[in-house]
Amino acid sequence: MNWLKRCARFKCLACCLLFATGCAFENTRLVSFNPTAGYRLRNLPTNALNSDELFVVLSFSGGGTRAAAFSYGAMEELSRTAIGRGGGERRLLDEVDLVSSVSGGSFTAAYYALYGDRLFADFDKEFLRRNVQLSLGLRVLHTVNWPRLISPYFDRIDLAAEYYDSVLFDRHTYRDPLTNGRPFVVLNATDMSMGCRFEFTQEQFDLLYSDLTSYPVARAVAASSAFPVLLSPLTVKNYSDRPDFVEPLWITTGMQDAEVNSGRFKMALMARSYEDAAKRRYVHLLDGGISDNIGLRGPARSLFSTDGQDSLLRKINLRRIKKLVIITVNAKPGDAVDWDRKRRAPGLLSVLSTATSAPMDNYSFETIQSLTEKIDSEYVKPKQTEGAVIKRLKETCPNVNWPETLPDLDFYDLEISFDKVKDPAVRKRLKEIGTNFHLRDEEVDLLKQAAQELLRESETYRKLVEALK
């Protein structure tokens, strides 16, 4: 009997030890609901180097270290581009207001949000040249982590987040970029249940009744880059005790648009699903590239809708934005495969890669094309037509108080991608770089140089720089 008691005590102690060492970080509950507090674009301090008049948006695609290096090269070129707005010379990088990123691009975006220009001193060595893939694998194999990995509340994604914290993010939370000023960085993951984007912003965390300012940036990056199977989903808690929560007005009105605006209705339906915390106690997040592989869907929606607190369309209507710049940094790999030359079917990893990336790659192309066409149809052409009509009316009847034209807005919309590299040999080399977290030094250098040259060679980019000078 004593032996049985000792066994029972040992099991109890083992279970306590297991759950004590095998619990992942849990997002905290809001003390009280405040729709104006926390990590939101409007709350970031502004300075003399940045204003809404020139609003610059960057979107960084997924693609492991390949995407991180390509977006880093673009940031380097922006930092070297001098502009002369406001009577003084400064960099175009200083005017970046918003960065939306997924997967590999989120490492570059988050590092800049936390450390600013330290990106150009440290990031190349601390991340781009580092064998992150090997380091993560060794952490999984290390016996000290086995008890934690056995726990149902701790998984590979938690090890990854700890590693990112140790080598890059130094345990910083979202309280830190909140005080650093612009750009406002939106890291995107994918909600597994809904298949939709999940943004690491306070506006999104409001729907969970959770406080983002205490949340580690490393965990947000880990969620954004949690490639299926290789990394487990990251879990955030949805709090049901929310006595003072007030549903955002756009969700309430959007739920009435099923027939009038089905797209808006669907967005409202997905957002409201978080309010049913009894049904959705936990939200499981995967790689942001599954729902948006170029990080452009959020900014695109903001441009054509007044939903959300920091709508670009609202700023345009209020004539706060005079020049809007959208630069998409797309590190999509090549399409060349040799499967069709062989009778044997592709292996599991090839099937998994295609299933998770090919549909979104096609959708990403449509998103970019649709954005350009919509800007032209809803802003450029109406402005030209209305401006010509009102100008004629004012000339004919100058004593009449005619209405103003559409907001005086200039658009600069451009994408840099491997397909646009002119040299066929270089283009081929870029497209052959794999999607992983370990690249050779020459591959990193090639990616950085390609991004810089693509921006310099872009006709739209040159026009923008000339207009700002």
Side-chain angles (χ1 to χ4, degrees):
M1 184 66 72
N2 289 335
W3 180 81
L4 291 175
K5 287 182 179 179
R6 284 196 295 270
C7 285
R9 289 173 183 170
F10 177 77
K11 288 180 180 178
C12 181
L13 180 62
C15 288
C16 291
L17 181 63
L18 174 66
F19 286 99
T21 59
C23 292
F25 179 92
E26 191 168 82
N27 51 300
T28 59
R29 180 180 177 274
L30 282 171
V31 176
S32 61
F33 179 68
N34 184 348
T36 64
Y39 189 64
R40 309 171 199 266
L41 173 61
R42 61 178 61 187
N43 291 340
L44 268 62
T46 56
N47 55 60
L49 298 178
N50 190 298
S51 67
D52 279 349
E53 184 178 329
L54 170 61
F55 201 95
V56 181
V57 178
L58 306 180
S59 72
F60 294 161
S61 79
T65 303
R66 183 187 67 240
F70 199 52
S71 57
Y72 176 84
M75 296 283 277
E76 280 190 316
E77 186 60 29
L78 292 174
S79 73
R80 295 167 183 164
T81 304
I83 59 175
R85 296 185 67 257
E89 188 174 278
R90 54 186 178 276
R91 308 170 305 171
L92 184 54
L93 181 63
D94 297 324
E95 287 281 6
V96 174
D97 299 274
L98 170 66
V99 182
S100 176
S101 65
V102 297
S103 197
S106 290
F107 288 89
T108 312
Y111 201 87
Y112 187 69
L114 286 173
Y115 305 119
D117 279 359
R118 259 186 59 187
L119 175 79
F120 307 116
D122 302 340
F123 190 71
D124 186 283
K125 175 185 174 183
E126 297 299 331
F127 184 76
L128 298 181
R129 312 283 175 173
R130 189 186 291 267
N131 191 339
V132 175
Q133 202 158 284
L134 176 62
S135 298
L136 291 177
L138 291 176
R139 288 206 164 205
V140 173
L141 294 175
H142 201 299
T143 54
V144 73
N145 291 318
W146 291 358
R148 297 198 294 168
L149 290 171
I150 295 172
S151 168
Y153 307 118
F154 191 93
D155 216 324
R156 299 184 306 280
I157 193 67
D158 302 300
L159 279 181
E162 288 181 352
Y163 175 70
Y164 302 152
D165 238 343
S166 67
V167 300
L168 284 179
F169 302 115
D170 197 25
R171 294 177 176 78
H172 284 292
T173 69
Y174 271 90
R175 185 173 286 105
D176 299 296
L178 178 61
T179 60
N180 289 346
R182 296 186 183 184
F184 183 62
V185 172
V186 180
L187 307 182
N188 296 276
T190 298
D191 182 332
M192 279 186 66
S193 298
M194 304 298 291
C196 62
R197 288 185 312 110
F198 182 97
E199 300 179 346
F200 281 87
T201 63
Q202 187 56 53
E203 191 170 3
Q204 177 84 63
F205 266 57
D206 280 346
L207 301 177
L208 308 178
Y209 205 82
S210 181
D211 177 22
L212 181 63
T213 58
S214 61
Y215 198 78
V217 173
R219 291 188 66 81
V221 174
S224 182
S225 57
F227 191 79
V229 180
L230 297 180
L231 288 171
S232 55
L234 184 139
T235 301
V236 291
K237 186 173 181 179
N238 192 10
Y239 289 91
S240 57
D241 181 19
R242 45 176 77 186
D244 56 348
F245 176 76
V246 178
E247 182 179 77
L249 182 61
W250 77 264
I251 298 178
T252 307
T253 56
M255 290 298 295
Q256 303 169 14
D257 284 353
E259 299 296 333
V260 180
N261 189 336
S262 59
R264 186 169 187 251
F265 169 74
K266 185 177 180 181
M267 294 292 295
L269 190 66
M270 290 188 293
R272 181 173 279 186
S273 73
Y274 298 110
E275 297 177 30
D276 188 359
K279 184 178 179 181
R280 302 199 67 192
R281 294 178 59 190
Y282 297 94
V283 180
H284 304 287
L285 305 174
L286 276 174
D287 194 304
I290 298 173
S291 54
D292 175 13
N293 201 33
I294 50 175
L296 193 57
R297 293 182 68 182
R301 179 170 177 264
S302 178
L303 182 57
F304 299 106
S305 170
T306 57
D307 294 340
Q309 295 179 335
D310 294 305
S311 161
L312 292 180
L313 178 58
R314 187 180 296 115
K315 290 178 181 291
I316 292 170
N317 289 339
L318 293 173
R319 289 170 167 76
R320 293 177 183 170
I321 298 178
K322 300 297 179 66
K323 285 183 172 61
L324 179 61
V325 182
I326 301 178
I327 301 176
T328 302
V329 184
N330 187 0
K332 177 184 177 296
D335 304 315
V337 292
D338 61 355
W339 305 331
D340 296 338
R341 300 178 184 177
K342 304 174 183 178
R343 182 176 181 180
R344 185 177 179 179
L348 177 61
L349 290 178
S350 297
V351 172
L352 177 63
S353 177
T354 301
T356 54
S357 63
M360 279 312 306
D361 286 340
N362 293 332
Y363 185 81
S364 297
F365 171 77
E366 293 174 2
T367 300
I368 295 171
Q369 188 177 40
S370 174
L371 177 64
T372 302
E373 293 174 351
K374 205 166 183 180
I375 287 173
D376 190 55
S377 64
E378 295 196 20
Y379 285 99
V380 179
K381 289 181 179 177
K383 178 182 173 182
Q384 292 172 346
T385 302
E386 183 180 355
V389 171
I390 292 181
K391 181 181 178 182
R392 179 62 176 165
L393 289 171
K394 286 182 175 181
E395 291 173 350
T396 306
C397 304
N399 296 326
V400 177
N401 187 23
W402 297 106
E404 294 296 325
T405 61
L406 289 173
D408 185 17
L409 180 69
D410 294 325
F411 268 108
Y412 298 86
D413 176 29
L414 66 108
E415 178 209 12
I416 61 171
S417 65
F418 301 158
D419 287 330
K420 297 184 178 181
V421 173
K422 295 178 180 178
D423 188 322
V426 175
R427 184 168 63 245
K428 182 175 183 294
R429 287 171 60 197
L430 288 166
K431 289 189 172 187
E432 289 174 345
I433 297 175
T435 303
N436 53 57
F437 283 107
H438 177 223
L439 299 182
R440 299 190 303 272
D441 286 349
E442 57 267 27
E443 292 176 326
V444 172
D445 293 334
L446 183 65
L447 286 159
K448 289 162 53 178
Q449 183 180 353
Q452 295 160 14
E453 290 180 355
L454 283 167
L455 279 177
R456 287 195 296 266
E457 293 170 357
S458 167
E459 182 180 354
T460 302
Y461 192 75
R462 291 200 300 267
K463 286 182 178 178
L464 167 65
V465 175
E466 186 63 30
L468 295 176
K469 287 184 177 181

